[in-house]
């Protein structure tokens, strides 16, 4: 006998029932078991079972998992019923660490996710600013980096300087890296300005130089040293006569940034007072030589070559300046009518003049047009005789037209 039907539904008593207890010659299953089928040599303890595809069997109401499905041997139909396996709801997975990525996990029948490391997503190694050092710690997937300030280090222009070392902050200052720190724990740099020597020799002035720490001494005047070792400064374009020495003149000339002192000494001609008309002896206008009106010299125009000067400006060449000099008739006689001495006096004066112009050069590179009076003719003109003193000399003032133009 072999199992083919479910005894629960096929358990009839008929004329063949006696054959169940009949023993015939042949092969039998052990007591308490039954042959699975006529084509099978397997003995099973019961016929309440399900046949499987692989030729095996399983008891009714037994369940198992196969191909990610939940299967059960149905008790009433002895058929295998399978359904998709139910998976539990998993909590959300957070992969928020640097270098972590979320990947599916294929182990088992239910889909799962897990966090894995992808080093390609790790940040690059940073470079720390001067004055700080790099610290490295290991995270979940990637290294963690941090920059910390170095102790006892000053930073200037992206360069590090140890405490006590000189820092080239400014050419006009001496700066040193100190061990003092500010509120951010940064080492400070202390600076002290370098003193400049502003003392200059005579004739020089201290002037600042753009872009440099200290200035320099620049010559601005000529220096005149006399025989008594006394000194005097002259600006370019000026003439100076030492006190007590009217025959000596010094002039400062500037040529191509060179200051040149020109010394001019006047040599007076021989002077014989006996050759002079009495009372006409005097000192020349420059204060150097003695002059007079010589005897027998008639009133006439005299010419003297001098440099014209006005308002600090000077002519480039000597200019012929005219004057009237010479003897004129003078007499004294007794007047019976007036019962006193009568005096007749005449003076050598200009009788014809004209205006002339000359260009004067100024120290500031400008020119001044100077107008002066030129004597064209002289003559003896009657004048009042004075009892005491010398005859008065008529002075005519020159006029100046200030018309400047840049050279």
């Amino acid at each position: 006998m072999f199992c083919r039907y479910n005894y629960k539904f096929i358990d009839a008593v008929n004329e063949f029932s006696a054959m169940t207890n009949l023993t015939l010659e042949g092969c039998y299953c052990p007591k308490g078991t039954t042959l699975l089928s006529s084509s099978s040599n397997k003995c099973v303890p019961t016929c309440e079972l399900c046949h499987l595809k692989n030729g095996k069997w399983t008891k009714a109401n037994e369940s198992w998992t196969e191909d990610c499905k939940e299967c059960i041997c149905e008790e009433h139909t002895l058929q295998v019923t399978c359904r998709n396996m139910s998976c539990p709801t998993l909590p959300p997975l957070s992969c928020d660490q640097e270098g972590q990525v979320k990947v599916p996990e294929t182990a088992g029948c239910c889909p799962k996710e897990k966090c894995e490391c992808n080093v390609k997503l790790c940040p690059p190694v940073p470079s720390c600013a001067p004055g700080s050092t790099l610290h490295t710690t290991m995270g979940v997937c990637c290294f963690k980096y941090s920059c910390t300030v170095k102790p006892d280090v000053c930073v200037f222009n992206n360069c590090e300087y140890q405490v006590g070392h000189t820092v080239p902050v400014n050419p006009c200052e001496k700066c040193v890296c100190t061990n003092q720190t500010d509120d951010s724990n940064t080492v400070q740099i202390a600076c002290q300005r370098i003193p400049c020597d502003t003392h200059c020799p005579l004739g020089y002035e201290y002037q600042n130089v753009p872009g440099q720490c200290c200035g320099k001494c620049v010559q601005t005047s000529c220096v005149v040293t006399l025989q008594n070792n006394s000194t005097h400064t002259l600006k370019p374009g000026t003439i100076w006569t030492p006190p007590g020495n009217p025959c000596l003149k010094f002039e400062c000339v500037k040529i191509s940034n060179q200051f040149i002192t020109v010394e001019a000494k006047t040599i007076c001609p021989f002077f014989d007072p006996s050759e002079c008309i009495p009372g006409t002896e005097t000192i020349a206008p420059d204060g150097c030589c003695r002059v007079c009106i010589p005897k027998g010299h008639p009133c006439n125009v005299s010419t003297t070559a001098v440099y014209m000067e006005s308002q600090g400006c000077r002519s480039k060449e000597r200019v012929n300046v005219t004057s009237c000099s010479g003897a004129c008739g003078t007499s004294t006689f007794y007047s019976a009518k007036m019962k006193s001495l009568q005096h007749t006096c005449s003076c050598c004066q200009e009788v014809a003049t004209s205006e002339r112009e000359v260009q004067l050069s100024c120290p500031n590179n400008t020119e001044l047009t100077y107008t002066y009076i030129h004597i064209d003719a002289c003559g003896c003109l009657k004048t009042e005789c004075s009892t005491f003193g010398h005859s008065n000399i008529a002075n005519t003032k020159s006029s100046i037209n200030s018309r400047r133009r840049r050279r």
Side-chain angles (χ1 to χ4, degrees):
M1 183 177 181
F2 53 87
C3 291
R4 186 172 182 180
Y5 302 104
N6 192 343
Y7 287 142
K8 184 176 181 179
F9 300 99
I10 309 174
D11 194 8
V13 177
N14 51 31
E15 63 270 21
F16 297 104
S17 298
M19 296 182 64
T20 58
N21 295 324
L22 181 62
T23 301
L24 298 178
E25 185 179 356
C27 295
Y28 295 90
C29 285
K31 187 176 181 179
T33 63
T34 306
L35 185 63
L36 178 61
S37 66
S38 59
S39 60
S40 174
N41 293 326
K42 293 182 178 181
C43 296
V44 294
T46 177
C47 288
E48 300 294 325
L49 50 81
C50 294
H51 294 272
L52 302 179
K53 295 179 180 180
N54 56 4
K56 296 182 179 181
W57 53 271
T58 183
K59 293 181 180 180
N61 287 330
E62 284 191 0
S63 60
W64 68 95
T65 300
E66 181 181 353
D67 296 333
C68 291
K69 292 183 179 182
E70 293 179 344
C71 298
I72 187 172
C73 179
E74 297 290 347
E75 179 182 7
H76 301 296
T77 61
L78 298 181
Q79 297 292 324
V80 176
T81 302
C82 296
R83 63 177 181 176
N84 292 330
M85 187 175 180
S86 61
C87 295
T89 302
L90 300 177
L93 183 63
S94 175
C95 301
D96 53 1
Q97 297 296 321
E98 281 187 329
Q100 277 189 337
V101 292
K102 191 183 297 184
V103 296
E105 188 176 11
T106 58
C109 294
C110 290
K112 294 181 180 179
E113 290 180 329
K114 66 177 180 178
C115 295
E116 288 187 353
C117 292
N118 185 353
V119 295
K120 293 182 179 180
L121 301 178
C122 292
V125 180
S127 58
C128 294
S132 58
T133 184
L134 181 66
H135 285 271
T136 304
T137 57
M138 187 61 198
V140 176
C141 293
C142 305
F143 286 104
K144 294 183 178 180
Y145 305 100
S146 62
C147 295
T148 57
V149 178
K150 292 181 181 179
D152 300 333
V153 170
C154 295
V155 178
F156 178 75
N157 279 349
N158 294 326
C159 295
E160 296 181 358
Y161 299 88
Q162 299 295 326
V163 172
H165 287 197
T166 301
V167 183
V169 176
N170 191 314
C172 299
E173 296 178 333
K174 182 180 180 180
C175 300
V176 178
C177 179
T178 68
N179 55 4
Q180 299 178 356
T181 58
D182 55 14
D183 296 338
S184 61
N185 202 31
T186 301
V187 181
Q188 293 182 324
I189 300 174
C191 295
Q192 186 176 10
R193 187 167 184 84
I194 299 174
C196 297
D197 184 10
T198 59
H199 177 74
C200 294
L202 190 66
Y204 289 77
E205 290 182 1
Y206 182 83
Q207 296 181 1
N208 293 322
V209 179
Q212 294 188 11
C213 174
C214 296
K216 63 179 180 180
C217 293
V218 178
Q219 187 175 5
T220 57
S221 305
C222 296
V223 179
V224 178
T225 303
L226 302 180
Q227 292 182 352
N228 60 359
N229 291 328
S230 63
T231 56
H232 184 80
T233 58
L234 287 177
K235 293 292 184 181
T238 59
I239 298 176
W240 175 70
T241 299
N245 195 353
C247 294
L248 184 62
K249 296 181 183 296
F250 293 95
E251 180 184 6
C252 182
V253 180
K254 183 179 180 182
I255 302 176
S256 299
N257 293 327
Q258 297 293 323
F259 290 77
I260 301 173
T261 302
V262 179
E263 178 180 351
K265 190 172 183 178
T266 302
I267 305 298
C268 295
F270 175 75
F271 180 77
D272 185 3
S274 63
E275 297 294 330
C276 298
I277 298 176
T280 62
E281 296 93 343
T282 186
I283 302 297
D286 60 2
C288 177
C289 300
R290 297 177 64 188
V291 294
C292 69
I293 298 176
K295 294 178 179 179
H297 180 72
C299 177
N300 204 348
V301 178
S302 298
T303 302
T304 304
V306 297
Y307 286 104
M308 284 288 190
E309 293 185 18
S310 177
Q311 302 180 14
C313 305
R314 185 185 184 197
S315 61
K316 295 181 180 179
E317 298 178 353
R318 294 179 184 270
V319 179
N320 291 326
V321 177
T322 56
S323 62
C324 290
S325 63
C328 289
T330 301
S331 64
T332 301
F333 63 92
Y334 177 78
S335 173
K337 183 179 179 179
M338 299 300 298
K339 297 181 179 182
S340 64
L341 293 175
Q342 298 296 309
H343 305 281
T344 301
C345 298
S346 61
C347 180
C348 185
Q349 299 183 26
E350 71 279 2
V351 294
T353 61
S354 61
E355 288 188 350
R356 296 190 179 183
E357 293 183 348
V358 64
Q359 296 298 120
L360 306 185
S361 298
C362 304
N364 59 354
N365 293 329
T366 60
E367 288 189 348
L368 174 68
T369 301
Y370 182 81
T371 303
Y372 67 97
I373 298 176
H374 183 269
I375 299 176
D376 299 322
C378 297
C380 293
L381 300 180
K382 191 173 183 180
T383 184
E384 182 180 357
C385 296
S386 58
T387 304
F388 301 100
H390 300 290
S391 299
N392 295 328
I393 299 175
N395 295 320
T396 304
K397 295 184 179 180
S398 300
S399 61
I400 302 173
N401 295 330
S402 297
R403 300 197 302 273
R404 293 179 180 265
R405 68 172 184 269
R406 181 70 60 177
R407 288 188 296 177

